[in-house]
Amino acid sequence: MNRPFKYLIGSLGLIALNSCEASNATQAGQPNVIYIFPDQFRNHALEFWGDESFREQVNFTPDPVRTPRLNQFARESVVLSSAQSNCPLSSPHRGMLFTGMYANKSGVPLNCNSSRPISSLREDAICMSDVFSEAGYDCAYFGKLHLDFPTPNDPQRPGRYVEDRVPAWDAYTPPGRRHGFNYWYSYGTFDEHKNPHYWDTDGQRHDPQEWSPKHETDKVVAYLRNEGNVRDKSKPFFMMIAMNPPHSPYRSLEDCMEEDYLLYKDTSFDNLLIRPNADPNMEKAQCAPYYFASITGVDREFGRILDTLHDMGLDENTIVIFSSDHGETMTSQRTDDPKNSPYAESMNVPFIVRYPGQLTPGVDDLLISTPDVMPTVLGLSGLEAQIPGDVQGYNYAPLFFDKDASVTRPQGALYLQNLNGDIDTEGMVQNYFPVSRGIKTHQYTLALYIDKNTKQLTHSVLFDDVNDPYQLNNLPLEENIDIVRELCAEMGKQLNRIEDPWALEKILENQYGIIYN
Ligand code: CA
């Protein structure tokens, strides 16, 4: 890969340009890393997929959305067309992202709230940020965390939850649970986009009363510029930036910036919701202009981060990754649930990696799964030797450096859906019920749903994504049994490897071709 040598050339150029800033990463010999993942940002809401150099790479027409900064960023990056969020829901995604383990091992099988003590990031897990910290990085977290079981630990109201809602969803994360992040500006989960709040490194609360992506970007820019001496400039940095929009609510100018809303407000729902599986007559269609406005606003704020890197001469030394925790159905499949389903709008997320001088820009259809992200980011950063042994995901970094690298590509990405299991008399969830398992391959999407008591099949989803890209025809299993058996064989193999509850409990074993070995 010759990375250290190439890196040195980039660094020398920077020293000539700006000797003050060039100390970033040069001493440690490591690139800086920025991982930004706005919430609920579907892959289809990227304008560049309609451009000449991209549109042959996907079989959908992108949303009519403006993302000028991401368009340019994509031209400079390796862009994955088929990145999958295996358990497309905030907390389970984040658990897998942080630990490189599937939802049955990360500690986070369900969305975190105070009624679910069984769903909280494992304290003993070595997270991506722990590895970067151990490798000598300054680590900074900005925005929504939603990864821990809330406890009554409000720094401003000792002995109480940070909110009075029952169950509590929002949370304060004390220093002992920050997994190597030595700079903190975060909250659990909270959905008033123009009235956000954060707890900083010292536990001080901030209520800035402005659109959260804009505010977070200001904090990110200040961090990059080292205002207030918040980081050690002799160290490389690892930053995670978790903006909440384009997550709901997306109903009014309380949720997005007016300048962005003006771009969409005069377009009919028919012309905004152009996917053939969308229903512009649903009440939720009214959200479309606000959703797309949120996307455009996030694009602008992302651009400000890129501009700061450029102005400081840091862009050559910095790996920038843009992704999301899951997608958004936005009336597709006529569901009100934006996520947590096996539909493409829910599972297919952006995954765009820029590493100037190291990666050759282009599109790749790698079926990356969420647990692969941590080892892959560590691999991209030259830290493959530090990938913890209990990580279940794979390091696909070699494929980013060289499309033809001798790495076995995945045949499919698992789909996981869990529900509350037993609930005690106090209303506390005791375990989780794995209601659905499935697999997404390059050609098909399959999901099997089971009954909680009998553990037998209740219904299924099977789409031929090549011939039916908008997933309009749910194919009956029995009429496509050869395809089903092939998909189930791969699903069973993967579920067995990760020691999923379906494999441990032998659910549907020897039916539909499922064998757990
Ligand atoms: Ca989410």
Side-chain angles (χ1 to χ4, degrees):
M1 286 186 277
N2 277 337
R3 221 154 352 115
F5 180 65
K6 282 186 183 174
Y7 179 72
L8 187 62
I9 292 172
S11 304
L12 289 172
L14 283 177
I15 288 165
L17 270 173
N18 185 340
S19 61
C20 169
E21 298 302 337
S23 62
N24 277 289
T26 56
Q27 291 175 13
Q30 290 287 337
N32 306 305
V33 180
I34 296 179
Y35 190 91
I36 175 165
F37 60 122
D39 201 301
Q40 218 150 302
F41 194 126
R42 67 186 186 187
N43 187 40
H44 316 89
L46 289 164
E47 186 180 18
F48 63 77
W49 288 123
D51 292 355
E52 202 173 348
S53 52
F54 288 93
R55 64 176 169 234
E56 300 297 315
Q57 309 288 336
V58 291
N59 62 358
F60 59 83
T61 301
D63 294 319
V65 63
R66 312 258 178 94
T67 55
R69 299 307 305 260
L70 282 156
N71 299 346
Q72 180 58 36
F73 180 71
R75 288 181 210 113
E76 302 162 356
S77 300
V78 172
V79 182
L80 299 190
S81 57
S82 201
Q84 305 297 322
S85 178
N86 310 81
C87 189
L89 197 60
S90 281
S91 306
H93 173 88
R94 285 162 161 79
M96 295 194 278
L97 173 67
F98 274 57
T99 66
M101 292 186 265
Y102 282 82
N104 58 312
K105 297 281 187 183
S106 68
V108 196
L110 301 166
N111 252 351
C112 298
N113 72 32
S114 65
S115 75
R116 294 173 177 150
I118 58 135
S119 194
S120 196
L121 180 63
R122 263 173 55 185
E123 284 191 55
D124 65 338
I126 301 170
C127 296
M128 178 153 59
S129 43
D130 290 312
V131 178
F132 276 111
S133 177
E134 193 66 27
Y137 277 70
D138 260 346
C139 298
Y141 196 87
F142 299 84
K144 174 175 176 175
L145 186 69
H146 202 197
L147 192 49
D148 267 333
F149 172 57
T151 56
N153 67 348
D154 187 336
Q156 281 72 47
R157 309 187 307 174
R160 295 173 67 174
Y161 291 100
V162 297
E163 65 174 346
D164 297 323
R165 174 169 53 153
V166 178
W169 285 73
D170 199 3
Y172 166 68
T173 304
R177 294 190 63 86
R178 293 180 192 165
H179 285 276
F181 286 106
N182 57 322
Y183 176 94
W184 196 255
Y185 198 76
S186 177
Y187 60 98
T189 180
F190 185 69
D191 293 328
E192 292 180 26
H193 300 318
K194 286 187 175 171
N195 180 33
H197 56 248
Y198 308 87
W199 287 272
D200 66 18
T201 310
D202 301 321
Q204 192 63 46
R205 179 174 160 138
H206 301 264
D207 291 78
Q209 304 275 319
E210 61 180 341
W211 196 51
S212 59
K214 178 176 182 300
H215 180 72
E216 288 154 25
T217 299
D218 286 344
K219 298 298 287 186
V220 167
V221 168
Y223 181 87
L224 288 170
R225 295 194 181 285
N226 203 20
E227 289 170 13
N229 212 21
V230 288
R231 64 186 178 94
D232 180 347
K233 291 175 81 171
S234 71
K235 292 180 169 184
F237 57 77
F238 169 63
M239 300 166 70
M240 291 185 89
I241 306 164
M243 295 174 180
N244 198 17
H247 187 283
S248 57
Y250 24 46
R251 279 190 296 268
S252 76
L253 289 176
E254 289 301 300
D255 306 318
C256 63
M257 300 301 281
E258 186 170 15
E259 64 187 285
D260 302 315
Y261 175 66
L262 294 178
L263 295 172
Y264 306 100
K265 76 176 182 61
D266 294 327
T267 307
S268 69
F269 297 156
D270 275 332
N271 288 326
L272 287 174
L273 297 165
I274 60 164
R275 295 176 69 77
N277 61 8
D279 182 356
N281 297 314
M282 281 176 70
E283 194 188 337
K284 191 177 174 181
Q286 296 167 25
C287 299
Y290 298 103
Y291 179 67
F292 293 139
S294 303
I295 296 266
T296 298
V298 163
D299 177 83
R300 179 179 51 256
E301 298 306 329
F302 176 58
R304 289 175 56 214
I305 297 171
L306 298 180
D307 289 345
T308 305
L309 290 174
H310 178 76
D311 292 348
M312 296 182 71
L314 290 173
D315 35 7
E316 291 286 318
N317 294 341
T318 304
I319 301 172
V320 179
I321 302 160
F322 185 94
S323 189
S324 183
D325 60 345
H326 50 76
E328 160 68 60
T329 50
M330 196 47 69
T331 80
S332 284
Q333 303 290 355
R334 296 196 174 82
T335 174
D336 276 321
D337 192 342
K339 51 211 168 191
N340 213 11
S341 59
Y343 304 130
E345 294 84 2
S346 160
M347 282 186 81
N348 186 196
V349 288
F351 201 88
I352 313 174
V353 184
R354 189 183 79 174
Y355 191 180
Q358 302 295 335
L359 305 184
T360 306
V363 179
D364 193 297
D365 66 356
L366 177 69
L367 274 166
I368 199 169
S369 282
T370 310
D372 303 326
V373 174
M374 170 195 186
T376 298
V377 171
L378 293 174
L380 288 166
S381 310
L383 296 173
E384 53 273 2
Q386 277 90 316
I387 296 169
D390 48 6
V391 162
Q392 294 179 311
Y394 293 106
N395 169 18
Y396 290 119
L399 293 171
F400 287 76
F401 290 110
D402 174 6
K403 232 175 150 57
D404 301 318
S406 58
V407 171
T408 306
R409 286 173 177 259
Q411 295 302 301
L414 288 171
Y415 168 69
L416 315 169
Q417 188 184 3
N418 299 320
L419 300 175
N420 284 348
D422 302 316
I423 299 176
D424 73 8
T425 51
E426 310 284 301
M428 301 298 257
V429 177
Q430 303 298 297
N431 45 45
Y432 69 96
F433 169 56
V435 63
S436 180
R437 294 294 181 261
I439 193 154
K440 160 71 187 149
T441 66
H442 282 300
Q443 182 158 7
Y444 296 101
T445 296
L446 171 75
L448 305 178
Y449 294 80
I450 54 168
D451 180 84
K452 196 169 181 176
N453 298 314
T454 66
K455 307 285 170 71
Q456 292 302 302
L457 189 76
T458 56
H459 60 286
S460 62
V461 157
L462 175 62
F463 296 119
D464 180 341
D465 296 333
V466 170
N467 296 303
D468 176 23
Y470 293 97
Q471 303 179 322
L472 295 164
N473 301 306
N474 186 7
L475 302 169
L477 299 187
E478 297 303 336
E479 292 172 24
N480 299 276
I481 197 66
D482 290 344
I483 294 162
V484 172
R485 294 182 77 83
E486 202 173 308
L487 293 169
C488 282
E490 177 66 21
M491 180 182 82
K493 190 171 76 179
Q494 292 201 23
L495 290 173
N496 191 60
R497 182 182 79 82
I498 68 165
E499 301 176 322
D500 183 83
W502 274 39
L504 301 179
E505 295 174 36
K506 312 279 185 206
I507 287 172
L508 299 181
E509 191 173 37
N510 298 321
Q511 298 177 54
Y512 314 102
I514 299 177
I515 301 166
Y516 297 111
N517 61 23

